[in-house]
Amino acid sequence: MSLNQTVLPAVKNMKDFEKLLQTSTEYIIILESRLGLLHKVVRAGQKAGKKVWVHVDLIQGLKADDYGMEFLGRVVKPDGVISTRSHVIQQAKKYKLTSVQRLFLIDSQAVEHNVSIIKKVKPDYVEVLPGIVPGMIKEIKDQIGVPVIAGGLIRTEIETKEAIQSGASAVSTSRAELWNF
């Protein structure tokens, strides 16, 4: 599974979301929203021809259990989900949603633990945070054999390029100045 763009815009507010609907971006990540608005936002993005991924852990009012994922998969129907929870990733597959598992580079033990989980769960993508550690991007990608998205603390075009050169398939960022669509 490959992405057709190197910068994935991650939106925190509807003003940025509405602007992105008018751009050539193929993907939009919804970082923050309320459960009551989520269906409408996802539909608007899809109607505009966008693939909308939802960060499940950050949606207010959504519990990331079996029932929450059933609601997401059957009612909201985003194109993909992002989560730190392997259970969410497993449920996403059940509903044929693209799955992105977040991996925080806290320390070696956390990385080893998460890599073993990722190998079992097999998400479509792994988002490595912070994305400004090029050496770790390559190491994680080599270990898991899953495309890597670099995210978190990426503030400049140089950092974006370094992440891509290190093996990331894409960079996710909420910094609108890096979207360039």
Side-chain angles (χ1 to χ4, degrees):
M1 181 174 278
S2 66
L3 297 168
N4 299 327
Q5 66 191 61
T6 56
V7 176
L8 304 174
V11 298
K12 293 181 181 180
N13 62 64
M14 289 303 100
K15 184 177 173 184
D16 285 342
F17 177 77
E18 290 169 2
K19 286 180 186 176
L20 284 168
L21 295 180
Q22 308 305 316
T23 69
S24 64
T25 186
E26 183 178 352
Y27 296 90
I28 299 175
I29 298 171
I30 305 299
L31 280 185
E32 299 173 4
S33 186
R34 298 188 327 258
L35 186 57
L37 294 176
L38 193 57
H39 185 259
K40 181 180 175 183
V41 170
V42 169
R43 285 291 168 269
Q46 291 170 336
K47 187 176 179 183
K50 312 302 182 191
K51 291 183 178 138
V52 181
W53 292 355
V54 173
H55 192 307
V56 174
D57 305 344
L58 300 178
I59 302 302
Q60 296 171 20
L62 177 65
K63 186 173 180 184
D65 62 5
D66 289 349
Y67 300 114
M69 288 305 295
E70 179 182 14
F71 177 78
L72 210 64
R74 291 188 179 180
V75 177
V76 178
K77 299 180 184 178
D79 298 287
V81 297
I82 300 170
S83 180
T84 58
R85 301 176 179 133
S86 57
H87 174 74
V88 169
I89 302 305
Q90 290 170 326
Q91 288 292 309
K93 291 178 176 215
K94 181 177 177 179
Y95 297 102
K96 297 180 176 32
L97 305 174
T98 298
S99 60
V100 181
Q101 180 143 8
R102 279 188 147 191
L103 182 155
F104 289 97
L105 301 173
I106 299 169
D107 59 25
S108 296
Q109 184 177 3
V111 170
E112 288 174 23
H113 174 73
N114 282 303
V115 165
S116 70
I117 290 171
I118 288 165
K119 286 180 178 179
K120 290 177 191 169
V121 177
K122 298 181 179 155
D124 296 305
Y125 297 93
V126 171
E127 183 179 21
V128 175
L129 292 104
I132 56 168
V133 187
M136 287 302 298
I137 293 170
K138 181 177 179 357
E139 183 177 323
I140 298 295
K141 182 179 177 187
D142 290 347
Q143 285 186 46
I144 61 175
V146 173
V148 170
I149 298 169
L153 300 178
I154 295 175
R155 294 171 276 182
T156 67
E157 285 188 38
I158 292 171
E159 291 168 338
T160 299
K161 289 175 184 174
E162 287 174 350
I164 299 298
Q165 290 169 350
S166 297
S169 296
V171 169
S172 67
T173 182
S174 59
R175 292 192 173 257
E177 63 270 20
L178 297 177
W179 295 345
N180 297 326
F181 300 111

